Amino acid sequence: MSTPPRRRAPTVISVDSVNPDLVPGGAGESVVADLCGRWLTARGFEVHRLERRPRRPSLVAIARGTGGGRSLMLNGHLDTVGLAGYDGDPLAPRVHDGRMYGRGAFDMKGGTAAMMVAAARATAHGFLRGDVILACVADEEHGSTGTEEVLKSFTADAAIVTEPSQLQVTLAHKGFAWFEVEIEGRAAHGSRPELGVDAIAKAGHFLVPLEDLGRRLARGPAHPLLGTGTVHASVIRGGEEPSTYPARCRITLERRTVPGESADGVERELTALLDQLASTVPDFRYRLTRGLDREPFQADPGAPIVCTLTRHAERALGHPPVVRAEPFWTDCALLDRAGIPCLLFGVDGAGAHAADEYADLGSLDRLTDILTGTIAEFCS
């Protein structure tokens, strides 16, 4: 009688966890959260499952210290972007030339796995005084509702977000603010220009100074790590048919912000621009609506968690780590706003949101070692 083939144990990469807020019908985080929860429970962690949004769970796993030490939270997200367009099978992880390929290997299941293994190693003998807290969160790729939910019930003396950073110490990142500008026209038959107001043509009056605003931002004061803020039009919608003057044109825009800038300031900036057009362009009417916004982030380079991790990174790498910033947004800003000093540090690799994604396995080993040493020292 033949022996049935041995089934491979699922890995975090082989489990579909596409964010359904990005891709309708996406699997969400339930199954990968189950996998991580079993792994952590088997290693003695106290596991809490938070699921304010059905089928969108985050896990908080705690190794309690003996008392009197500093607590440390390690944060990593479980969701990924979509699978369509990936070159090959995105859920069949493969190793080639020292790289692990698959959707989420780089962004950021590699970092989440590293922080889990590091925490298990550092707490295996129960000698630490401070609590070690793992936040395996949902929805970072869209609205970060997972980290927001975690921070309603849990805190720590410091945190590390293990987003990919090429083993470079990341101490700042940009924020963003989304706005929709609706330019109002007047619908009329295309043969009756005296009755119609072309909302699309009026929108052109806005797009020109918006581009100029981008140029002025680029010439303005720069953050030492991030440079300047930016603005661009992302989506434009307007019109119904060729023979009708469009009654409205909607423009969605994104303003990337640096420390010192805020969504409130951006709203004032855009309102001033639009009010100027309303006072000078005939029949120019608008409505400005603010959408999602997230603050920029800047860490204190002298914070104890930054100094501790930097010291262990230098020991593992054989040289001082590069200090850098990221142009994209991360959950660091939410942790910082909650009063938790933090930084970002993660694996090397490439292909975030791309057709070919991988994490460098050597860097994954070094990341795990650096996190293990940092946990052991910070929480001792």
Side-chain angles (χ1 to χ4, degrees), residues 220-290:
H223 184 274
L225 293 175
L226 287 166
T228 64
T230 60
V231 66
H232 72 280
S234 309
V235 181
I236 186 166
R237 302 180 183 90
E240 300 292 337
E241 56 202 13
S243 62
T244 301
Y245 278 81
R248 61 189 52 84
C249 181
R250 294 185 182 91
I251 299 166
T252 302
L253 63 89
E254 179 183 71
R255 173 75 155 81
R256 290 278 166 169
T257 54
V258 298
E261 296 181 324
S262 68
D264 288 341
V266 173
E267 186 165 4
R268 290 191 295 269
E269 180 182 72
L270 293 172
T271 299
L273 188 157
L274 288 159
D275 283 349
Q276 173 66 19
L277 292 171
S279 68
T280 57
V281 177
D283 295 321
F284 187 93
R285 294 177 298 164
Y286 76 89
R287 183 181 296 109
L288 178 65
T289 304
R290 184 159 147 185

Side-chain angles (χ1 to χ4, degrees), residues 17-192:
S17 58
V18 170
N19 189 318
D21 287 333
L22 292 177
V23 180
E29 299 87 355
S30 288
V31 176
V32 73
D34 290 342
L35 175 64
C36 293
R38 289 193 298 270
W39 193 94
L40 291 162
T41 298
R43 285 152 182 84
F45 284 81
E46 169 191 316
V47 178
H48 303 261
R49 187 182 180 102
L50 309 179
E51 199 165 354
R52 184 185 60 193
R53 299 176 67 196
R55 299 180 298 281
R56 304 303 306 277
S58 296
L59 298 182
V60 177
I62 305 173
R64 300 284 181 185
T66 59
R70 295 176 296 190
S71 58
L72 179 62
M73 178 184 291
L74 294 98
N75 173 294
H77 66 84
L78 299 173
D79 60 318
T80 73
V81 296
L83 308 178
Y86 192 88
D87 185 11
D89 186 345
L91 300 178
R94 63 184 181 89
V95 175
H96 179 68
D97 286 342
R99 298 170 172 178
M100 171 71 79
Y101 289 83
R103 174 60 79 219
F106 183 58
D107 182 21
M108 62 162 291
K109 290 178 175 179
T112 301
M115 77 184 197
M116 291 167 57
V117 172
R121 289 178 182 173
T123 60
H125 302 295
F127 298 145
L128 300 184
R129 296 168 63 201
D131 295 346
V132 179
I133 305 162
L134 297 174
C136 302
V137 299
D139 191 44
E140 191 276 343
E141 294 288 3
H142 181 259
S144 288
T145 58
T147 291
E148 288 184 324
E149 185 175 9
V150 167
L151 292 174
K152 291 181 186 297
S153 302
F154 297 90
T155 189
D157 293 313
I160 303 167
V161 174
T162 58
E163 286 271 12
S165 74
Q166 286 76 41
L167 297 179
Q168 298 175 358
V169 174
T170 303
L171 299 184
H173 66 63
K174 289 186 176 183
F176 65 87
W178 296 340
F179 288 85
E180 184 171 272
V181 179
E182 181 175 305
I183 310 299
E184 300 176 7
R186 187 184 306 119
H189 193 278
S191 66
R192 301 296 303 274

Side-chain angles (χ1 to χ4, degrees), residues 298-343:
Q298 180 168 268
D300 175 4
I305 186 57
V306 174
C307 296
T308 302
L309 185 139
T310 300
R311 186 164 50 251
H312 284 275
E314 181 172 356
R315 188 176 304 159
L317 300 174
H319 58 80
V322 173
V323 175
R324 61 179 276 185
E326 290 287 6
F328 53 78
W329 190 87
T330 79
D331 282 348
C332 277
L334 295 178
L335 294 158
D336 183 64
R337 186 177 68 186
I340 303 174
C342 60
L343 74 159

